[in-house]
């Protein structure tokens, strides 16, 4: 396997301009001859499909949802970053670039991150033109707020519904192209395999989730924009339908899987409240603008709270430990997510946690309400406070919220080069599905930025560079041997699952996998635990293929069959994550190895050994994958120990 990042020549600030000035183009008449498949209708998928359609390509767009608007991008709350510097507080493209590289603990490719910062401002202009109702200041200018890992306010937002509003903008752009006939939209359709012809991705095998029928679709290029794989942990902030199956299908067809162990733990989530819970709920990072995080200073107070004998409002100010403000005075409550999450875990492990389980800390708005008034807080976060009260049955205007870290986002993903092309020619990956921009930790409000950057402003250029050599390639009918064989292989996998007829439900096995992932491949990892995880995941895989029970048949709608197919892929992902975490003998960003930490409990990198992306190559069923390295070089940013103090 060859890893060629294809980074353009020239100074960092000119690389993207140089690329665009020298890339190959496809003229309008030839665009009509070319078909592009886009899998996913979230921010990356919808914006890419809409852009390709507007440019004149023929597009097929697939989603497992009944509407593109149900893609999980809709759940994003807090905002989207851009280097507009509207508050005039010192922001710039370079500072956004630097903060993102530093926030990722120096494990991202500089050139990709700089391009992301460059196009960030264009995203805001595009979305405003679409009518996205960003919050505005009294004078009518777009408002900004702060997010973790930055000392400037660069986050544009629409109350606590930013993802929803941005997705509606991308959705209306997409549906305009559907109406114009340039995009064919396939809802309730899942991609179950990628078709390879002469070493190139030339189509997909899809399964209609309503009828159970299999379909063959040709494309001159295939774009995967299918999100992350956090649901390998069973409990996460992801929608229950979010899955890593398309990424695993790409991996099994030769696409390298990069840095799978880099998973983000979000510090502000509603704590687990029972063993029958099916997902976790995110509380936006934007709440850390005005909320202060604390635990009791005295262990006996924490014990009394856990026993229900004391309320948080009864703890005097001098007996509260605002531990982030104490440990990180320069950034306070707005440290990056991995730092805030580990700090919460440290306090809870030390016995200062609150709530019935002791696995929670407080997020308190008392000071902000006294300073700004309840109406101002309600205007900023009203829908988030309402959501919290509905779930927890507590009024956060009067009582501090309880929060605890949870799996949220995956920085790892399909390896892509500067053009967002995988190691499989003709197969591209965008948004959270790829690994390219966030290193070992993503800064808050950067996922929406990356998704829209890839779809609106990167792929429309880079995919042309690939397709320019394909203008004479005729369309395939889908009756070719490669398509028939791929369909038969996919059918056989589903038939194999249905034939097991064991005794355990899909969810029971998924929960077992999730517990192994959280306990051994979660917030804190160590060598012995990761070795155990690999053994336990192998045992879970054996149990799954011998004892899972899937009611019904493959004809018509069968949700349990869908879940089983995805769980089979999550088991593969879990194994990859554990292997990657075991090999990476350092702590960086969201990957925290207990053996590698400073005296103060901070992540300790091993830059002389691990300044690379670990890219895993599939070797076949039940064979250990092989790792390749993409060495990371830093031309602009000086690599240093992260310091948020």
């Amino acid at each position: 396997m060859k890893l060629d990042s294809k980074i353009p020549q020239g100074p960092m600030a000119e690389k993207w301009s140089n690329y665009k000035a020298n890339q190959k183009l496809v003229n309008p008449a030839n665009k009509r001859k070319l078909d592009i498949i886009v899998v996913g209708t979230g921010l990356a998928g919808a914006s890419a499909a809409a852009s390709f359609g507007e440019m004149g390509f023929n597009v097929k767009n697939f989603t497992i949802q009944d509407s593109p608007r149900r893609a999980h991008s809709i759940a994003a709350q807090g905002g989207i970053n851009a280097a507009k510097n509207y508050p005039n507080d010192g922001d710039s493209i370079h500072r956004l670039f630097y903060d993102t590289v530093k926030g990722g603990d120096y494990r991202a490719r500089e050139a990709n991150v700089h391009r992301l910062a460059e196009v960030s401002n264009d995203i805001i202009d595009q979305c405003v033109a679409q009518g996205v109702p960003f919050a505005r200041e009294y004078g009518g200018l777009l408002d900004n707020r702060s997010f973790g890992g930055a000392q400037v306010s660069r986050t544009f937002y629409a109350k606590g519904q930013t993802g929803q509003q941005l997705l509606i903008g991308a959705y209306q752009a997409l549906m305009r192209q559907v109406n114009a006939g340039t995009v064919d939209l396939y809802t309730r359709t899942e991609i179950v395999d990628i078709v390879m012809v002469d070493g190139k991705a030339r189509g997909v095998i899809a399964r209609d989730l309503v009828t159970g029928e299999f379909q063959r679709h040709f494309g001159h290029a295939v774009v995967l924009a299918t999100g992350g794989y956090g649901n390998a942990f069973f409990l996460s902030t992801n929608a229950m339908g979010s899955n890593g199956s398309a990424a695993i299908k790409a991996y099994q067809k030769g696409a390298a899987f990069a840095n799978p162990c880099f998973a983000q733990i979000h510090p502000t989530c509603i704590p687990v409240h029972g063993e029958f819970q099916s997902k976790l709920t995110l509380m936006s990072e934007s709440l850390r603008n005005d909320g202060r995080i604390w635990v009791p200073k005295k262990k006996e107070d924490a014990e009394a709270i856990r026993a229900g004998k004391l309320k948080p409002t009864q703890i005097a100010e001098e007996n509260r430990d605002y531990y982030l403000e104490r440990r990180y005075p320069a950034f306070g409550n707005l440290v990056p997510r991995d730092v805030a999450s580990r700090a919460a875990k440290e306090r809870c492990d030390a016995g200062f946690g609150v709530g019935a389980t002791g696995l929670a800390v407080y997020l308190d708005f008392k000071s902000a309400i006294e300073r700004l008034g309840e109406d101002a807080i309600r205007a900023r976060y009203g829908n988030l406070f309402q959501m919290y009260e509905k779930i927890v049955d507590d009024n956060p205007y009067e009582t501090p919220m309880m929060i605890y870290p949870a799996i949220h986002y995956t920085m790892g993903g399909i390896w892509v080069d500067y053009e967002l092309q995988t190691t499989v020619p003709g197969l591209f990956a965008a948004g959270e599905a790829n690994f390219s921009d966030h290193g070992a930790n993503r800064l808050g409000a950067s996922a929406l930025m990356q998704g829209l950057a890839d779809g609106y402003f990167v792929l429309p250029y880079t995919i042309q560079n690939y397709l320019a050599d394909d203008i004479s390639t005729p369309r395939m009918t889908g009756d070719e041997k490669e398509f028939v064989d791929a369909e038969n292989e996919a059918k056989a996998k589903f038939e194999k699952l249905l034939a097991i007829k064991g005794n355990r439900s899909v969810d029971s096995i998924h929960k077992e996998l999730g517990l192994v992932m959280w306990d051994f491949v979660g917030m804190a990892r160590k060598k012995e635990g990761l070795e155990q995880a690999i053994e336990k995941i192998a045992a879970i895989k054996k149990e799954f293929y011998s004892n899972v029970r899937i009611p019904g048949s493959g004809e018509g709608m069968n949700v349990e069959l869908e879940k089983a197919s995805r769980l089979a892929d999550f088991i593969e992902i879990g194994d990859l994550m554990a292997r990657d975490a075991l090999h990476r003998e350092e702590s960086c960003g969201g990957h925290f190895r207990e053996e590698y930490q400073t005296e103060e409990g901070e992540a300790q990198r091993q830059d002389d050994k691990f300044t690379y992306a670990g890219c895993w190559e599939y070797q076949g069923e039940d064979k250990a994958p092989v790792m390749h390295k993409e060495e990371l070089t830093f031309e602009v940013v000086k690599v240093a120990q992260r310091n948020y103090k």
Side-chain angles (χ1 to χ4, degrees):
M1 177 177 283
K2 184 183 178 185
L3 298 174
D4 179 5
S5 58
K6 299 180 186 172
I7 297 172
Q9 297 298 312
M12 188 62 63
E14 297 174 15
K15 288 183 185 296
W16 182 228
S17 297
N18 288 346
Y19 177 89
K20 291 189 291 184
N22 294 289
Q23 67 161 104
K24 299 173 187 173
L25 297 173
V26 180
N27 78 20
N30 285 329
K31 285 173 184 167
R32 293 193 290 272
K33 301 176 185 175
L34 296 170
D35 300 345
I36 303 175
I37 288 172
V38 179
V39 186
T41 59
L43 289 181
S47 59
S51 299
F52 297 152
E54 183 74 43
M55 294 165 71
F57 292 105
N58 300 293
V59 184
K60 290 184 177 181
N61 194 197
F62 296 86
T63 176
I64 61 172
Q65 310 292 352
D66 52 4
S67 165
R69 282 177 54 182
R70 294 181 72 98
H72 190 57
S73 298
I74 203 167
Q77 298 169 355
I80 177 170
N81 288 330
K84 287 283 196 182
N85 194 33
Y86 284 166
N88 198 28
D89 55 359
D91 202 8
S92 64
I93 287 171
H94 177 81
R95 190 173 291 276
L96 174 53
F97 157 66
Y98 170 79
D99 287 346
T100 305
V101 172
K102 177 185 175 184
D105 219 351
Y106 307 96
R107 291 294 177 263
R109 189 190 293 148
E110 266 193 332
N112 288 55
V113 178
H114 197 280
R115 176 176 64 191
L116 177 65
E118 282 181 69
V119 304
S120 66
N121 294 337
D122 297 330
I123 297 168
I124 302 304
D125 296 340
Q126 169 93 351
C127 294
V128 169
Q130 289 174 337
V132 172
F134 286 123
R136 293 179 181 267
E137 296 176 333
Y138 180 75
L141 298 176
L142 296 182
D143 195 15
N144 287 111
R145 57 188 177 198
S146 298
F147 259 61
Q151 290 180 305
V152 297
S153 295
R154 63 163 67 103
T155 305
F156 296 78
Y157 64 98
K159 211 170 185 178
Q161 311 167 0
T162 315
Q164 181 185 41
Q165 299 304 324
L166 291 172
L167 187 59
I168 289 171
Y171 166 75
Q172 66 192 27
L174 172 64
M175 295 312 292
R176 178 173 178 271
Q177 296 307 312
V178 171
N179 189 57
T182 61
V183 176
D184 289 330
L185 182 63
Y186 295 82
T187 58
R188 302 294 288 135
T189 305
E190 185 160 27
I191 302 309
V192 293
D193 209 351
I194 293 161
V195 181
M196 304 288 294
V197 179
D198 296 330
K200 295 183 177 182
R202 288 299 193 197
V204 297
I205 303 300
R207 181 174 177 270
D208 188 311
L209 297 177
V210 178
T211 66
E213 293 175 358
F214 289 80
Q215 308 164 358
R216 308 169 199 164
H217 295 275
F218 164 77
H220 290 89
V222 178
V223 177
L224 299 183
T226 49
Y229 48 90
N231 274 348
F233 289 76
F234 187 72
L235 286 179
S236 82
T237 66
N238 289 204
M240 290 176 65
S242 296
N243 63 82
S245 290
I248 281 295
K249 299 297 182 279
Y251 164 69
Q252 291 170 341
K253 284 297 169 81
F257 205 118
N259 300 332
C261 77
F262 288 168
Q264 180 163 86
I265 317 283
H266 198 294
T268 54
C269 302
I270 296 177
V272 175
H273 63 255
E275 60 181 85
F276 297 108
Q277 200 165 345
S278 57
K279 79 175 297 294
L280 298 173
T281 305
L282 174 74
M283 286 283 103
S284 169
E285 180 167 319
S286 62
L287 295 171
R288 290 198 273 150
N289 272 269
D290 293 305
R292 301 176 70 195
I293 296 173
W294 64 276
V295 293
K297 278 184 181 176
K298 300 176 182 176
K299 202 170 281 189
E300 55 266 32
D301 285 347
E303 291 167 354
I305 288 172
R306 292 198 292 270
K309 297 175 182 177
L310 198 63
K311 294 181 179 179
T313 50
Q314 296 173 305
I315 304 290
E317 190 70 20
E318 61 270 19
N319 292 325
R320 299 179 176 193
D321 177 16
Y322 295 95
Y323 57 87
L324 290 178
E325 297 173 27
R326 168 173 57 82
R327 289 180 62 178
Y328 308 101
F331 283 74
N333 293 294
L334 287 171
V335 291
R337 291 173 175 178
D338 61 312
V339 176
S341 294
R342 281 196 296 274
K345 183 180 187 297
E346 185 276 328
R347 287 291 78 196
C348 291
D349 289 350
F352 294 92
V354 297
T357 62
L359 295 176
V361 299
Y362 289 124
L363 179 61
D364 197 337
F365 291 84
K366 179 172 174 283
S367 299
I369 290 172
E370 289 174 353
R371 186 178 77 252
L372 301 167
E374 186 175 314
D375 288 345
I377 298 301
R378 195 177 295 275
R380 291 179 184 179
Y381 313 113
N383 66 309
L384 300 173
F385 277 49
Q386 181 187 41
M387 184 165 65
Y388 180 87
E389 187 168 3
K390 280 187 174 182
I391 294 170
V392 181
D393 195 24
D394 229 342
N395 183 350
Y397 294 101
E398 299 172 1
T399 305
M401 287 184 179
M402 283 195 296
I403 56 167
Y404 193 70
I407 288 288
H408 176 57
Y409 183 93
T410 48
M411 287 74 64
I414 305 169
W415 183 91
V416 291
D417 59 21
Y418 190 75
E419 297 182 316
L420 304 187
Q421 188 168 202
T422 71
T423 49
V424 174
L427 181 63
F428 295 76
E432 190 179 355
N434 73 34
F435 91 112
S436 71
D437 293 348
H438 306 295
N441 175 66
R442 177 176 66 75
L443 292 185
S446 288
L448 306 185
M449 174 174 64
Q450 187 208 345
L452 292 179
D454 288 354
Y456 282 138
F457 298 108
V458 178
L459 277 172
Y461 290 95
T462 63
I463 206 164
Q464 284 193 82
N465 202 48
Y466 171 78
L467 290 174
D469 295 330
D470 251 359
I471 56 175
S472 299
T473 302
R475 290 190 175 97
M476 297 180 185
T477 63
D479 295 327
E480 292 79 5
K481 182 179 184 298
E482 292 85 352
F483 281 84
V484 175
D485 289 349
E487 181 183 341
N488 289 336
E489 284 177 27
K491 283 180 177 177
K493 288 177 183 176
F494 280 86
E495 288 165 2
K496 178 182 177 182
L497 293 174
L498 286 164
I500 296 168
K501 300 189 185 304
N503 298 309
R504 292 186 61 183
S505 69
V506 176
D507 281 354
S508 73
I509 299 175
H510 197 169
K511 283 182 182 179
E512 185 181 345
L513 173 67
L515 282 172
V516 169
M517 295 300 294
W518 182 253
D519 290 344
F520 300 107
V521 200
M523 238 189 306
R525 304 158 174 177
K526 55 187 177 185
K527 183 176 186 288
E528 297 79 11
L530 291 164
E531 289 171 343
Q532 275 187 12
I534 292 169
E535 291 178 9
K536 287 176 181 288
I537 292 167
I540 289 170
K541 182 176 181 178
K542 187 176 180 182
E543 172 74 359
F544 173 77
Y545 280 108
S546 63
N547 201 22
V548 73
R549 181 177 183 276
I550 303 167
S553 71
E555 296 175 7
M557 185 178 287
N558 188 338
V559 175
E560 288 302 303
L561 180 58
E562 291 173 38
K563 284 158 53 175
S565 172
R566 295 167 191 167
L567 176 55
D569 296 325
F570 280 135
I571 291 169
E572 299 301 324
I573 289 170
D575 179 71
L576 261 184
M577 291 183 73
R579 289 178 187 275
D580 191 44
L582 180 63
H583 110 273
R584 191 171 280 277
E585 295 179 337
E586 66 165 352
S587 292
C588 57
H591 169 63
F592 191 76
R593 285 281 296 265
E594 292 181 348
E595 308 97 316
Y596 303 96
Q597 54 183 305
T598 66
E599 291 180 1
E600 297 175 321
E602 304 292 349
Q604 189 171 59
R605 298 194 316 270
Q606 303 282 338
D607 290 334
D608 57 329
K609 299 177 183 176
F610 294 99
T611 307
Y612 62 76
C615 308
W616 296 85
E617 181 184 8
Y618 182 67
Q619 296 295 298
E621 186 70 23
D622 296 324
K623 293 181 181 178
V626 172
M627 194 201 71
H628 305 270
K629 300 177 183 179
E630 183 202 342
E631 300 291 343
L632 299 173
T633 56
F634 293 88
E635 302 173 21
V636 178
V637 176
K638 182 182 178 183
V639 177
Q641 180 71 29
R642 284 191 308 173
N643 183 359
Y644 292 100
K645 297 181 178 181

